[in-house]
């Protein structure tokens, strides 16, 4: 049946002893007054009373505890808790206390996790609402203006249509990023692993954003002149996405006449590490742990002057995790930042 409780034995023994002693003294006095005292009979009676009292008290106490412990187990089962032991019900107070303490800690942790998730959900919904409503309202404004008669003016019409088109492109950009990050999170995006030259890929990314960098007089450079190709094994298209997001971020938050420098170093015999370093604004420590959250921005201003979907670093994180690679951040506020990640050598 249930596990015996040592403390109940102690309780039952003491209680049985007191009851037996009381009965023995009472009978001895009674016999002394009215009959002859037979000490052997008194001793046998005392032992019998002790044994009967012990069994009765032990059974009743354990039954009393068992019924109340069973009610606790039944109440916990109603909560579909998986932390309470699935074995037979124990009346061992030490074991029960441990299980209840564990249950309480697990519930506190669960509640705290749900609270954090709820806060994240609210922030996420607020962010995505802000990201989508800005281009939506922009497109709506241009279309309404055209409908109100501006369409008759060819110059205004062409300008507003171009601006509306840009707003639609931004919406498509955000939706595509959301679709990609969702696929990455559920593991629905297949990687096409191939061998390629990471140096050549970085050079192509530099060429893509050369004009964007030139607007802020930011130079895109390597730390040294890589004369030999460095072959790695990964999904080339996804790695281009990783590099694109990191380089674009370094330009966005870089200083005028600043520098974005990329270096490739041997980390181990089988790994290289790619570093993207800038001398831009830098990131304060309290923001670093949240940089890879969807739509999280260090700059909380509503202007969103730098544009982007707010999903770039989240996508970078998921792409690298899909490759089983590591991502590192080293940043000092108002000094600059370094984003680095590992890749498998070919």
């Amino acid at each position: 049946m249930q596990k015996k409780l040592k403390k109940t034995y102690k309780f039952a023994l003491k209680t049985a002893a007191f009851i037996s002693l009381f009965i023995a003294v009472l009978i001895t006095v009674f016999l002394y007054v009215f009959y002859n005292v037979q000490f052997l009979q008194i001793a046998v009676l005392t032992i019998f009373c002790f044994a009967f009292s012990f069994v009765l008290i032990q059974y009743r106490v354990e039954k009393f505890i068992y019924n109340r412990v069973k009610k606790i187990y039944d109440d916990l089962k109603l909560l579909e808790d998986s932390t309470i032991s699935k074995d037979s019900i124990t009346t061992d107070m030490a074991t029960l206390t441990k299980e209840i303490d564990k249950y309480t800690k697990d519930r506190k942790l669960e509640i705290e996790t749900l609270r954090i998730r709820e806060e994240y959900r609210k922030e996420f919904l607020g962010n995505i609402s802000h990201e989508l409503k800005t281009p939506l309202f922009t497109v709506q404004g241009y279309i309404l203006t055209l409908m109100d008669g501006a369409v008759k003016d060819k110059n205004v019409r062409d300008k507003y249509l171009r601006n509306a088109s840009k707003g639609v492109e931004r919406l498509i950009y955000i939706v595509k990023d959301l679709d990609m990050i969702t696929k990455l999170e559920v593991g629905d995006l297949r990687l096409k692993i191939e061998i390629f030259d990471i140096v050549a890929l970085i050079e192509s990314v530099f060429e893509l954003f050369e004009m964007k960098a030139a607007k802020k007089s930011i130079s895109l450079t390597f730390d040294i002149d890589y004369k030999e190709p460095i072959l790695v094994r990964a999904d080339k298209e996804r790695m281009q996405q990783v590099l694109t997001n990191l380089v674009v971020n370094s330009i966005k938050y870089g200083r005028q006449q600043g520098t974005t420098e990329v270096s490739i170093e041997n980390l181990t015999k089988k790994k290289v590490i790619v570093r993207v370093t800038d001398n831009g604004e830098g990131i304060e420590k309290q923001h670093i742990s949240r940089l890879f959250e969807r739509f999280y921005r260090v700059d909380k201003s509503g202007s969103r002057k730098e544009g982007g979907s707010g999903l770039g670093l989240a996508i970078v994180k998921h792409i690298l995790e899909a490759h089983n690679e590591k991502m590192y951040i080293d940043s000092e506020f108002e000094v600059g930042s370094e984003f680095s990640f590992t890749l498998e050598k070919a």
Side-chain angles (χ1 to χ4, degrees):
M1 194 182 168
Q2 67 267 31
K3 185 179 177 181
K4 300 299 180 185
L5 178 65
K6 291 182 180 179
K7 288 187 178 180
T8 61
Y9 285 143
K10 189 176 180 181
F11 173 81
L13 285 167
K14 284 185 177 180
T15 308
F18 288 138
I19 292 173
S20 300
L21 184 62
F22 173 75
I23 292 173
V25 171
L26 185 65
I27 292 174
T28 302
V29 171
F30 180 81
L31 291 176
Y32 180 77
V33 173
F34 297 102
Y35 304 98
N36 291 327
V37 178
Q38 298 291 330
F39 288 104
L40 179 61
Q41 295 175 353
I42 295 298
V44 171
L45 181 64
T46 302
I47 293 171
F48 176 79
C49 288
F50 177 82
F52 177 78
S53 298
F54 172 77
V55 172
L56 181 63
I57 292 167
Q58 174 64 21
Y59 173 78
R60 292 297 300 156
V61 169
E62 202 163 63
K63 188 71 175 176
F64 175 81
I65 294 172
Y66 176 85
N67 288 335
R68 277 149 185 77
V69 169
K70 185 176 184 301
K71 187 177 184 307
I72 294 173
Y73 273 76
D74 291 341
D75 290 342
L76 292 175
K77 283 178 182 177
L78 290 175
L79 300 175
E80 295 183 354
D81 176 66
S82 59
T83 60
I84 298 296
S85 174
K86 296 293 187 298
D87 300 331
S88 59
I89 297 172
T90 178
T91 56
D92 178 28
M93 289 295 111
T95 302
L96 182 62
T97 301
K98 286 180 182 178
E99 288 192 359
I100 297 298
D101 285 345
K102 185 176 184 300
Y103 171 83
T104 304
K105 289 176 183 177
D106 288 345
R107 295 294 72 74
K108 285 181 179 178
L109 181 61
E110 185 178 332
I111 291 168
E112 181 64 19
T113 302
L114 289 172
R115 186 185 65 79
I116 292 171
R117 285 180 179 176
E118 178 63 14
E119 289 177 359
Y120 173 74
R121 184 188 67 83
K122 289 179 180 178
E123 188 174 347
F124 171 74
L125 289 174
N127 283 330
I128 194 170
S129 173
H130 184 96
E131 295 293 344
L132 291 174
K133 76 180 181 181
T134 303
L136 276 173
F137 288 167
T138 300
V139 172
Q140 184 186 44
Y142 287 129
I143 291 174
L144 289 174
T145 304
L146 290 171
M147 290 173 65
D148 286 340
V151 70
K152 295 177 182 179
D153 187 326
K154 184 180 178 181
N155 292 330
V156 173
R157 179 187 65 200
D158 292 346
K159 179 182 177 182
Y160 279 21
L161 285 174
R162 282 196 300 269
N163 290 341
S165 177
K166 288 179 182 177
V168 172
E169 284 177 5
R170 176 158 167 71
L171 282 170
I172 293 171
Y173 181 66
I174 293 171
V175 171
K176 280 184 176 179
D177 277 358
L178 275 171
D179 180 58
M180 173 170 290
I181 200 170
T182 302
K183 286 180 178 178
L184 284 165
E185 285 180 346
V186 300
D188 193 33
L189 193 65
R190 295 182 180 179
L191 298 176
K192 183 183 177 183
I193 304 299
E194 58 183 303
I195 296 173
F196 60 92
D197 180 11
I198 188 66
V199 176
L201 185 63
I202 295 168
E203 286 174 344
S204 68
V205 172
F206 280 173
E207 289 173 5
L208 283 172
F209 299 102
E210 192 173 22
M211 290 182 65
K212 187 178 181 71
K215 289 179 181 178
K216 293 180 72 172
S217 300
I218 292 175
S219 59
L220 305 176
T221 65
F222 285 101
D223 61 325
I224 59 172
D225 184 14
Y226 292 94
K227 295 180 180 179
E228 299 292 330
I230 299 175
L231 300 180
V232 295
R233 190 187 306 274
D235 186 317
K236 186 176 180 179
E237 185 180 345
R238 301 304 167 207
M239 283 303 119
Q240 182 173 10
Q241 219 170 349
V242 168
L243 289 164
T244 294
N245 280 315
L246 295 180
V247 170
V248 167
N249 272 358
S250 73
I251 296 170
K252 280 183 184 178
Y253 304 106
R255 301 181 188 278
Q256 287 285 342
Q257 299 180 341
T259 302
T260 294
E261 182 182 273
V262 178
S263 64
I264 309 159
E265 302 170 16
N266 287 320
L267 187 64
T268 65
K269 289 182 179 180
K270 296 182 178 180
K271 297 280 185 181
V272 295
I273 185 165
V274 180
R275 305 180 191 274
V276 180
T277 309
D278 64 65
N279 57 354
E281 299 175 4
I283 306 162
E284 292 178 285
K285 288 183 178 179
Q286 66 266 28
H287 297 298
I288 291 177
S289 62
R290 300 193 61 191
L291 282 178
F292 296 106
E293 291 180 15
R294 293 180 179 189
F295 297 113
Y296 184 79
R297 293 179 188 267
V298 174
D299 179 14
K300 295 297 181 183
S301 66
S303 64
R304 299 292 200 263
K305 63 182 181 179
E306 296 297 345
S309 68
L311 296 167
L313 288 179
I315 289 173
V316 166
K317 171 179 174 284
H318 285 295
I319 289 175
L320 291 171
E321 285 180 350
H323 283 80
N324 295 317
E325 299 294 352
K326 300 291 185 182
M327 180 84 188
Y328 305 96
I329 305 174
D330 185 17
S331 184
E332 188 174 345
F333 186 57
E334 295 184 345
V335 175
S337 303
E338 179 182 278
F339 290 80
S340 55
F341 60 92
T342 58
L343 281 177
E344 183 183 349
K345 290 181 182 178

